[in-house]
Amino acid sequence: MADRRLQVFHAVAKHGSFTRAAEHLFMTQPAVTFQIKQLEEHFDTRLLDRGHGKVTLTPAGEIVFAYAERILGLSDELEARVSELTDELSGHLNIGTSTTIAAYWLPRLLEGFKRRYPRVLPRVVVGNSQLTEDRVAARDLDVGLVEIVSDQPGVERRSAARDELLVICHPAHPLARAGKLAARDLVGHAFITRDPGNAIHVLAEEFFRVGGVADDEITVCAELGSLATVKHLAAEGLGFAIASSAAIQRDIREGRLVAVPLDPPLYTPLEVILPRDKFRSRLITAFADYATEQLARMATAPMKNL
């Protein structure tokens, strides 16, 4: 309901970039530029300074931005309050999720939620857990599904479940014959790890530290943002990796990978996070409740369909 020009201007000012604003709004960059031009023509003054790869607010832009925050907030609240008078939830839902949850948990979550509320339009942004947490704290996202325990003051968290982390490797790899593996057992073997900011990367570092293994004793052979690539390299015998149980069930059934428990056991949390102190519509609350409940249920159910 709010003026689209104000929405676009607010996004550009908040992200400091036409490109990032376009990505956030699911628009093209020329369309964003056009909306800003229209708003500046309306006020007959420049609102943004463009230079050195960053967008900054002019004095007039600072005033417009302050009012835009208030107007857009009231608009969201108005839409939510009126929609809550109807029985059926509807509207856009901006969800951020880690790569593992996006691939192995989110499809079933969205299927069930869409069947229950067909008029809801989910918009999903995939990134590592740290990036998702930061975007929820910045109120760029309505809700996040992550694999870290958030301690950010701007985030409210709900612990939904946990998933065991396992060592994965080719069936002929020397580690494949072990019944369980301590940190010291992994020294001397090539380690295929995840990218910094990924929850499993952080948990693996802590596992080695607690196990008395120094950083220089770990033979990292690759650091990857793609879980599919991690599994492929492990299945090809290039080293071992640490992965979520949910992410490897099919590979184990088909014989491409072997999974070995860690000693002591290591788990990744499955958390639902929300911006703290933000007006929360019934739609956001309903999805957060549903995701928390369903993640807990799926974590205890057989993994045969994953």
Side-chain angles (χ1 to χ4, degrees):
M1 183 173 176
D3 191 314
R4 184 61 169 168
R5 297 170 300 176
L6 277 183
Q7 293 175 330
V8 173
F9 169 77
H10 181 266
V12 172
K14 190 167 185 177
H15 292 280
S17 163
F18 280 72
T19 301
R20 289 198 294 274
E23 292 171 353
H24 175 72
L25 295 168
F26 301 93
M27 297 172 64
T28 64
Q29 190 167 330
V32 168
T33 302
F34 176 77
Q35 293 288 339
I36 296 300
K37 182 174 182 293
Q38 290 285 305
L39 191 63
E40 289 182 327
E41 288 179 353
H42 174 81
F43 287 112
D44 195 25
T45 188
R46 194 173 72 256
L47 302 175
L48 299 167
D49 282 326
R50 309 153 178 85
H52 305 294
K54 185 166 177 64
V55 175
T56 57
L57 292 168
T58 65
E62 294 276 4
I63 294 172
V64 174
F65 180 76
Y67 277 93
E69 288 243 280
R70 293 160 61 186
I71 291 168
L72 295 175
L74 286 171
S75 177
D76 288 344
E77 187 169 343
L78 171 61
E79 294 279 354
R81 291 301 188 205
V82 173
S83 70
E84 285 172 5
L85 295 176
T86 67
D87 291 331
E88 187 176 6
L89 292 177
S90 63
H92 295 97
L93 183 65
N94 296 312
I95 305 167
T97 175
S98 70
T99 52
T100 299
I101 292 177
Y104 301 99
W105 302 87
L106 186 65
R108 293 167 67 190
L109 274 180
L110 288 184
E111 177 192 358
F113 196 73
K114 280 288 292 181
R115 288 187 187 281
R116 186 176 295 186
Y117 305 110
R119 294 179 58 200
V120 173
L121 178 59
R123 290 174 170 169
V124 178
V125 179
V126 180
N128 65 41
S129 289
Q130 187 61 62
L131 177 61
T132 300
E133 181 188 38
D134 291 342
R135 294 195 66 182
V136 169
R139 294 170 170 74
D140 293 334
L141 296 168
D142 297 321
V143 62
L145 307 174
V146 296
E147 300 166 87
I148 56 176
V149 176
S150 175
D151 58 0
Q152 288 207 37
V155 167
E156 176 186 318
R157 53 176 284 263
R158 301 183 183 185
S159 296
R162 64 179 188 173
D163 191 21
E164 187 172 7
L165 296 180
L166 304 166
V167 168
I168 58 170
C169 57
H170 186 275
H173 193 283
L175 296 175
R177 298 188 295 271
K180 56 185 178 179
L181 291 162
R184 183 58 58 184
D185 298 326
L186 302 173
V187 172
H189 297 281
F191 179 34
I192 305 161
T193 188
R194 299 299 302 274
D195 55 313
N198 179 278
I200 294 177
H201 180 104
V202 174
L203 289 167
E205 284 186 330
E206 179 67 8
F207 179 78
F208 283 117
R209 186 189 67 78
V210 172
V213 175
D215 290 347
D216 58 6
E217 295 182 89
I218 305 166
T219 310
V220 175
C221 70
E223 192 174 85
L224 304 169
S226 165
L227 175 59
T229 306
V230 169
K231 294 196 296 180
H232 177 78
L233 294 187
E236 291 299 316
L238 271 70
F240 78 92
I242 295 175
S244 159
S245 174
I248 58 175
Q249 294 301 309
R250 182 173 297 174
D251 304 275
I252 293 171
R253 288 197 304 270
E254 295 176 358
R256 289 192 298 269
L257 290 170
V258 169
V260 183
L262 290 162
D263 183 24
L266 186 63
Y267 298 91
T268 180
L270 301 175
E271 300 266 315
V272 178
I273 58 174
L274 300 150
R276 189 178 294 280
D277 301 328
K278 178 186 176 183
F279 164 75
R280 193 167 298 156
S281 69
R282 189 161 63 97
L283 170 56
I284 295 172
T285 300
F287 181 78
D289 291 344
Y290 180 84
T292 304
E293 174 190 326
Q294 292 301 309
L295 284 171
R297 186 187 63 79
M298 287 190 283
T300 57
M303 307 294 281
K304 62 183 179 180
N305 294 322
L306 293 174

